[in-house]
Amino acid sequence: GAVVSQHPSRVICKSGTSVKIECRSLDFQATTMFWYRQFPKQSLMLMATSNEGSKATYEQGVEKDKFLINHASLTLSTLTVTSAHPEDSSFYICSARGAGNKQYFGPGTRLTVT
Amino acid sequence: QQQVKQSPQSLIVQKGGISIINCAYENTAFDYFPWYQQFPGKGPALLIAIRPDVSEKKEGRFTISFNKSAKQFSLHIMDSQPGDSATYFCAASMAGNTGKLIFGQGTTLQVKP
């Protein structure tokens, strides 16, 4: 149980285009999902907290207009990287909060902006 | 006060040995302390977690030791195996705070055959 999926697993896009990443909780409902960014050999950096039916809460320094988050249902949250640039290339990971405040992570999405 | 400090940064252990990773925190409002295991190119997987009302929790070869007064907790991996080679993250969160996790810096474990 407590499986979280992400799609796509890898994406390559050209500079200036937008990319959407989906995060789904497959066997449980999640009112809260989280989006992280991880650089090589570093820890996870929380970008934003996504709450179903309301606006996301962004961490300090994260541009909300660049990283659009939508949590339209109890099993789906999306992250759209708008006007992507090479510096946005990273490993993006979502997580979903389940019972007992436990967080379950997706497999991650490798974004490469050329 | 929101930080979780993790050590060591890297660890090399012989097969069959015990791997020990330590974490320390400042905020006494933290009430949930999970450990995650991450393999390269994959998302973190919840390994084991503890709440501050117990001093130890064991699941298979993995044990969390928790010292509330010292504000420290550690992960012990008994009989370490090459398949345990991964990056381990400790984390902490507070009740009523959306469950937001504060992560440690990570420890890269290499278990030599």
Side-chain angles (χ1 to χ4, degrees):
Chain A
V3 178
V4 177
S5 70
Q6 270 184 253
H7 178 78
S9 57
R10 289 178 176 270
V11 58
I12 301 173
C13 70
K14 292 188 175 181
S15 187
T17 61
S18 295
V19 174
K20 180 185 283 189
I21 303 169
E22 291 186 349
C23 177
R24 293 182 186 273
S25 56
L26 298 185
D27 50 2
F28 67 103
Q29 294 184 330
T31 55
T32 303
M33 292 184 173
F34 303 87
W35 286 96
Y36 296 83
R37 184 173 182 176
Q38 187 178 37
F39 292 105
K41 300 189 185 301
Q42 291 191 21
S43 189
L44 289 83
M45 184 190 81
L46 179 65
M47 299 174 65
T49 301
S50 167
N51 295 297
E52 188 265 339
S54 64
K55 290 184 178 181
T57 302
Y58 291 81
E59 294 299 302
Q60 191 173 8
V62 177
E63 298 176 60
K64 59 182 66 175
D65 293 331
K66 180 165 190 61
F67 298 100
L68 300 179
I69 291 172
N70 188 339
H71 193 157
S73 78
L74 289 172
T75 58
L76 173 65
S77 176
T78 60
L79 168 69
T80 301
V81 183
T82 62
S83 187
H85 291 282
E87 56 266 30
D88 298 324
S89 298
S90 189
F91 193 50
Y92 291 87
I93 312 172
C94 72
S95 70
R97 189 176 69 163
N101 224 25
K102 294 181 179 180
Q103 265 190 56
Y104 301 94
F105 284 80
T109 296
R110 174 74 59 193
L111 170 64
T112 304
V113 185
T114 61
Chain B
Q1 212 182 13
Q2 285 286 82
Q3 282 188 323
V4 176
K5 295 184 180 179
Q6 183 172 345
S7 64
Q9 186 175 358
S10 62
L11 182 60
I12 300 175
V13 172
Q14 290 295 128
K15 179 181 175 182
I18 302 174
S19 304
I20 302 174
I21 304 170
N22 302 297
C23 284
Y25 63 98
E26 288 295 324
N27 193 337
T28 55
F30 288 142
D31 67 347
Y32 175 66
F33 303 89
W35 284 89
Y36 286 88
Q37 178 190 58
Q38 186 180 30
F39 292 103
K42 305 294 183 184
L46 179 62
L47 201 56
I48 187 172
I50 198 168
R51 297 195 184 272
D53 52 345
V54 296
S55 60
E56 186 176 282
K57 184 174 181 179
K58 184 177 181 179
E59 290 184 2
R61 295 185 295 111
F62 301 94
T63 299
I64 299 179
S65 295
F66 186 82
N67 186 329
K68 189 174 181 177
S69 60
K71 291 184 282 187
Q72 295 175 348
F73 59 110
S74 60
L75 175 70
H76 297 234
I77 305 175
M78 313 299 286
D79 186 27
S80 299
Q81 299 296 311
D84 296 331
S85 298
T87 299
Y88 293 81
F89 293 97
C90 64
S93 74
M94 286 181 276
N97 191 31
T98 73
K100 184 166 77 170
L101 288 171
I102 309 299
F103 278 91
Q105 295 79 3
T107 296
T108 301
L109 170 64
Q110 181 184 358
V111 181
K112 290 194 169 181

